[in-house]
């Protein structure tokens, strides 16, 4: 009897430890959609997201127009947001970056803030991310005052590789929070995809990309819990031909999600024609991908499950 009690207690303790470990990691990442739209003004904010780590906002992914407004509407606490991931420098993905910095500075609890801002290297008519930041916030820049308005800000840019033959690059490793990046392709605009991992959960952001970058995205997103894929065109030939050099059509999104074995797919960067053809879009994706698929909307909050 004593031996049976000891075995029972030991088993109970083992299960309790396992449950505590599961609880510690359950709900590790949450996604808040600030903007789910594209470059046209039709009621959605431009692409922007906040990633929360165990309920605390930590990472800003893109900063499209409308992000500043949504942050206020949602009452988000920006006090721990110190990582910014820019997929590319089109206005609908970066236009509210100054507004974000202002919001962060005016609600900060400490005297100084250090930001790490990651984004693509220079290409074509687009500056590198570091030069982009310098043109905005350094001495002689458009908003040089911002770095000392409300709080002292140290804004450090990191330029990421943009060649499609570049390997996956880990760019953040902070107490279990890991961020990785890989180059994608978005016409003449240098672009990058990102993956965030924490506590056994993961989110991958495609950014804007055409189908030529799918092998890179699949490599980055392999086995991720949630894949956020920008869906801005219909299957050919239902969108203007030139847009297929910039964006990935639904049937290719489905194939990429399947090949990456993504646990869940969230479609974002939504255009009016995508909304109007949502059934056809889902049907096209589900021809290849069997996991859950949903459409993003502004102020959506998702728990990320492994």
């Amino acid at each position: 009897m004593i031996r049976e009690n000891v075995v029972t207690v030991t088993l109970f303790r083992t299960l309790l430890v396992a449950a505590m470990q599961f609880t510690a990691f359950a709900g590790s990442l949450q996604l808040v959609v600030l903007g789910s739209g594209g470059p046209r003004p039709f009621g959605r904010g431009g692409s922007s997201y906040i990633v929360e780590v165990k309920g605390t906002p930590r990472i800003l992914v893109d900063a499209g127009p409308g992000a500043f407004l949504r942050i206020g509407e949602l009452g988000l606490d920006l006090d721990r947001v110190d990582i910014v991931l820019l997929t590319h420098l089109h206005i609908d993905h970066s236009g509210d970056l100054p507004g974000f910095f202002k919001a962060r500075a005016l609600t900060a609890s400490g005297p100084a803030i250090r930001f790490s801002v990651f984004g693509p290297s220079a290409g074509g008519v687009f500056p590198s991310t570091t030069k982009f930041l310098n043109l905005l916030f350094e001495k002689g820049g458009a908003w040089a005052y911002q770095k000392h308005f409300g709080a002292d800000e140290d804004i450090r840019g990191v330029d990421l590789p943009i060649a499609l033959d570049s390997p996956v690059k880990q760019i953040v490793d902070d107490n279990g929070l890991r961020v990785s990046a890989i180059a994608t392709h978005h016409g003449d605009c240098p672009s990058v995809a990102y993956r965030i991992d924490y506590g056994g959960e993961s989110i991958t952001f495609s950014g804007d990309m055409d189908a030529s970058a799918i092998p890179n995205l699949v490599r980055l997103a392999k086995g991720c819990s949630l894949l956020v894929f920008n869906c801005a065109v219909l299957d050919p030939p239902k969108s203007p031909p030139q847009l297929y050099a910039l964006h990935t059509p639904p049937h290719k999104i489905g194939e990429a999600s399947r090949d990456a074995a993504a646990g869940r797919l969230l479609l974002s960067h939504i255009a009016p024609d995508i909304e109007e053809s949502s059934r056809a879009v889902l049907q096209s994706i589900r021809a290849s991908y069997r996991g859950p698929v949903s459409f993003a909307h502004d102020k959506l909050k998702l728990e990320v499950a492994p």
Side-chain angles (χ1 to χ4, degrees):
M1 179 67 70
I2 294 176
R3 178 178 176 81
E4 289 178 354
N5 288 341
V6 170
V7 171
T8 301
V9 170
T10 301
L11 178 60
F12 174 77
R13 287 176 176 171
T14 301
L15 292 172
L16 180 61
V17 169
M20 291 173 66
Q21 290 174 338
F22 177 80
T23 302
F25 287 127
S28 296
L29 292 177
Q30 297 84 31
L31 175 69
V32 181
V33 179
L34 301 178
S36 58
R40 288 178 285 171
F42 67 100
R44 293 175 182 260
S47 291
S48 186
Y49 312 88
I50 287 283
V51 175
E52 296 183 349
V53 178
K54 297 196 71 63
T56 300
R58 282 294 312 277
I59 301 173
L60 176 72
V61 182
D62 281 345
F68 180 86
L69 175 63
R70 299 299 186 223
I71 286 169
E73 289 175 338
L74 290 165
L76 293 175
D77 180 2
L78 302 180
D79 206 45
R80 294 286 309 281
V81 180
D82 54 7
I83 299 170
V84 179
L85 309 176
L86 299 176
T87 61
H88 62 291
L89 299 183
H90 276 160
I91 293 170
D92 56 315
H93 293 255
S94 62
D96 251 13
L97 191 62
F100 162 75
F101 285 138
K102 176 177 282 293
R104 174 74 168 85
L106 294 179
T107 58
S109 59
I113 306 168
R114 178 177 176 176
F115 291 109
S116 296
V117 183
F118 298 89
S121 298
V125 300
F126 293 90
S128 68
T129 299
T130 53
K131 185 175 181 181
F132 174 72
L133 295 171
N134 290 342
L135 290 169
L136 291 176
F137 306 115
E138 293 301 326
K139 185 176 180 180
W143 291 294
Y145 83 99
Q146 170 57 36
K147 293 185 69 175
H148 305 287
F149 188 81
D152 288 332
E153 295 176 334
D154 180 10
I155 303 173
R156 302 190 180 189
V158 180
D159 299 331
L160 301 175
I162 59 173
L164 282 179
D165 58 358
S166 302
V168 173
K169 181 180 179 67
Q170 183 168 301
I171 57 177
V172 173
D173 188 355
D174 179 18
N175 293 317
L177 176 64
R178 301 187 308 277
V179 182
S180 304
I182 197 168
T184 57
H185 189 263
H186 184 46
D188 64 347
C189 184
S191 57
V192 180
Y194 295 98
R195 174 174 176 147
I196 299 167
D197 285 88
Y198 183 79
E201 299 173 1
S202 52
I203 311 174
T204 301
F205 297 87
S206 73
D208 285 352
M209 54 169 269
D210 64 58
S212 70
I214 283 178
N216 277 11
L217 183 71
V218 168
R219 193 175 307 125
L220 180 71
K222 203 72 174 180
C224 68
S225 309
L226 173 65
L227 174 56
V228 182
F229 213 125
N230 289 1
C231 184
V233 293
L234 299 169
D235 285 327
K238 296 178 181 178
S239 292
Q242 65 271 21
L243 293 183
Y244 295 113
L246 298 169
H247 296 286
T248 304
H251 74 281
K252 290 291 186 181
I253 291 176
E255 291 172 359
S257 303
R258 175 201 62 200
D259 294 346
R264 183 176 181 180
L265 176 63
L266 180 68
L267 303 175
S268 194
H269 200 274
I270 306 298
D273 52 346
I274 300 297
E275 282 189 332
E276 294 165 4
S277 304
S278 58
R279 287 187 179 181
V281 168
L282 289 176
Q283 184 178 11
S284 179
I285 288 171
R286 285 177 174 151
S288 300
Y289 177 67
R290 302 299 184 181
V293 185
S294 56
F295 289 90
H297 58 80
D298 291 15
K299 300 195 282 186
L300 171 69
K301 184 169 182 177
L302 286 178
E303 297 287 336
V304 179

